[in-house]
Amino acid sequence: MKLNKVKEATDKKSKLVTHFNPESLISEQFRTLRTNIQFLTENLNKRLFLITSPGKKEGKSTTIVNLAISMAQQKQKVLLIDTNLRNPTVHQLFKTDNHEGLTDVLTGRSTLKNVVQPAGFGSLHIITTGKPSANPSELLGSDIMVQVLSKVSQDYDIVLIDAPSVLQSNEARVLANMCDGVVLVVNRGNTDLRKVMEAKKVLDIVHANIVGAIMNEKGRKIF
């Protein structure tokens, strides 16, 4: 049991680098990204940002979690929402439960107030996915989801949405049109450039506002 706890703590430290190693080069790069997004929020009144990727295993969820922590370190009131209903990971990265979350609000089983959890990092809060859903696209594209995003954009300085990959599900496309900006995460050496262009084309079709891209390279972030 003790060995499992040590491994769990080590895994968490390696994933949440902006908290456990704030002086690292990677943390500095996240601060650069944070500054770029803050410029948009301050000057253009933008609050909702969707983080997605062309495919799986691009490092998207780890990226959004570290970005959220970096923003919370600046005393911003930040909300991170996991909308990857098919393969949720945010609750795993924060080592919290996922018994109740977004799907419970969208289906009327719970309220928004009940599913918001403190992340344990300053003013950062999270909403996990909640119970599995057989129709994620319909739930995320519902009027209730629009109301949820409208409400949280009033309550928080910044709202980051962890979305499924663009080319492997319809959910990111549905959500992109509801957000002020979209950030695309790609992995150098793993992401085919053609897939990146295809993802951009799909996002353009739904009139998404692509504000930037993040490239992962051997554990580093290049903006």
Side-chain angles (χ1 to χ4, degrees), residues 119-132:
F121 298 90
S123 55
L124 173 61
H125 292 81
I126 61 173
I127 298 177
T128 62
T129 57
K131 296 178 180 63

Side-chain angles (χ1 to χ4, degrees), residues 164-181:
S165 58
V166 176
L167 301 180
Q168 296 184 330
S169 67
N170 190 51
E171 290 89 271
R173 311 174 199 188
V174 170
L175 291 166
N177 191 250
M178 301 180 188
C179 296
D180 297 315

Side-chain angles (χ1 to χ4, degrees), residues 82-126:
D82 191 349
T83 63
N84 194 343
L85 306 187
R86 302 174 192 269
N87 186 31
T89 57
V90 168
H91 69 286
Q92 297 173 350
L93 290 169
F94 283 107
K95 306 300 181 185
T96 189
D97 68 72
N98 191 28
H99 300 313
E100 190 176 48
L102 182 62
T103 59
D104 299 280
V105 176
L106 299 180
T107 55
R109 293 189 296 259
S110 189
T111 64
L112 187 59
K113 181 179 180 180
N114 287 341
V115 302
V116 175
Q117 304 181 46
F121 298 90
S123 55
L124 173 61
H125 292 81
I126 61 173

Side-chain angles (χ1 to χ4, degrees), residues 5 10 37-38 72 92 102 163 175-176 188 205:
K5 287 184 178 180
T10 302
I37 292 181
Q38 284 174 338
Q92 297 173 350
L102 182 62
L175 291 166
R188 183 172 181 176
I205 290 173

Side-chain angles (χ1 to χ4, degrees), residues 4-162:
N4 289 337
K5 287 184 178 180
V6 170
K7 184 179 186 300
E8 180 178 291
T10 302
D11 289 344
K12 189 171 184 178
K13 286 184 178 182
S14 67
K15 297 285 188 180
L16 308 184
V17 62
T18 48
H19 175 73
F20 291 105
N21 194 4
E23 302 305 318
S24 67
L25 176 60
I26 296 176
S27 294
E28 179 59 32
Q29 291 172 325
F30 274 112
R31 285 191 286 272
T32 299
L33 178 59
R34 176 189 71 194
T35 300
N36 292 341
I37 292 181
Q38 284 174 338
F39 176 81
L40 291 172
T41 62
E42 291 172 1
N43 292 275
L44 301 176
N45 196 32
K46 295 181 182 295
R47 294 288 183 271
L48 302 171
F49 289 89
L50 185 84
I51 314 295
T52 186
S53 59
K56 295 181 178 180
K57 301 186 183 301
E58 311 275 8
K60 169 180 58 62
S61 294
T62 303
T63 295
I64 193 173
V65 165
N66 279 283
L67 177 59
I69 292 173
S70 181
M71 288 179 164
Q73 289 170 343
Q74 283 290 95
K75 310 303 181 184
Q76 283 188 296
K77 191 176 180 183
V78 184
L79 178 66
L80 170 56
I81 306 176
D82 191 349
T83 63
N84 194 343
L85 306 187
R86 302 174 192 269
N87 186 31
T89 57
V90 168
H91 69 286
Q92 297 173 350
L93 290 169
F94 283 107
K95 306 300 181 185
T96 189
D97 68 72
N98 191 28
H99 300 313
E100 190 176 48
L102 182 62
T103 59
D104 299 280
V105 176
L106 299 180
T107 55
R109 293 189 296 259
S110 189
T111 64
L112 187 59
K113 181 179 180 180
N114 287 341
V115 302
V116 175
Q117 304 181 46
F121 298 90
S123 55
L124 173 61
H125 292 81
I126 61 173
I127 298 177
T128 62
T129 57
K131 296 178 180 63
S133 169
N135 55 343
S137 293
E138 287 77 5
L139 279 182
L140 295 176
S142 67
D143 290 339
I144 299 178
M145 185 63 186
V146 173
Q147 294 170 19
V148 166
L149 293 181
S150 176
K151 172 62 176 171
V152 297
S153 66
Q154 297 173 29
D155 293 343
Y156 289 85
D157 297 320
I158 190 80
V159 179
L160 300 176
I161 300 172
D162 185 4

